[in-house]
Amino acid sequence: RPRSAPPVEPEPPVMDLQSLTKPPQSYACLIAGAISSSPDNRLTLSSIYQYLMAKYPFFRYSKNGWQNSIRHNLSLSKAFKKLPRQLE
């Protein structure tokens, strides 16, 4: 009786060096892009992180230092305003 072959694992995607480099935009521009992508132009900090990790592989594979930079930019830039959470 023939034996079935073991399942083949899919190969991980090949990452080129370009996709793993930091995007050329400033953190403020990256944050603004994330916020403007949402229907009501507001995002939680966690949602900003998720957006950046989904759009830019650099953030997926980097250490967490970039998250400190995001928080720093949000707190110091007058372009961003902290709003109270909406009740759902």
Side-chain angles (χ1 to χ4, degrees), residues 11-84:
E11 301 229 358
V14 176
M15 290 299 205
D16 64 348
L17 193 56
Q18 182 68 29
S19 67
L20 294 179
T21 57
K22 183 183 171 295
Q25 302 93 324
S26 67
Y27 280 110
C29 285
L30 293 170
I31 294 165
I35 293 171
S36 67
S37 75
S38 93
D40 54 357
N41 286 319
R42 61 192 293 168
L43 286 177
T44 62
L45 179 60
S46 175
S47 295
I48 293 170
Y49 294 159
Q50 290 171 356
Y51 173 89
L52 293 175
M53 288 188 292
K55 184 158 175 125
Y56 303 101
F58 168 83
F59 295 113
R60 248 181 312 216
Y61 297 104
S62 294
K63 300 278 185 206
N64 292 341
W66 64 270
Q67 293 177 342
N68 290 332
S69 296
I70 297 296
R71 286 192 302 275
H72 177 81
N73 274 265
L74 285 169
S75 64
L76 293 183
S77 176
K78 294 185 188 321
F80 306 114
K81 185 175 174 183
K82 184 173 183 176
L83 300 173

Side-chain angles (χ1 to χ4, degrees), residues 4-10:
S4 61
V8 177
E9 293 290 322

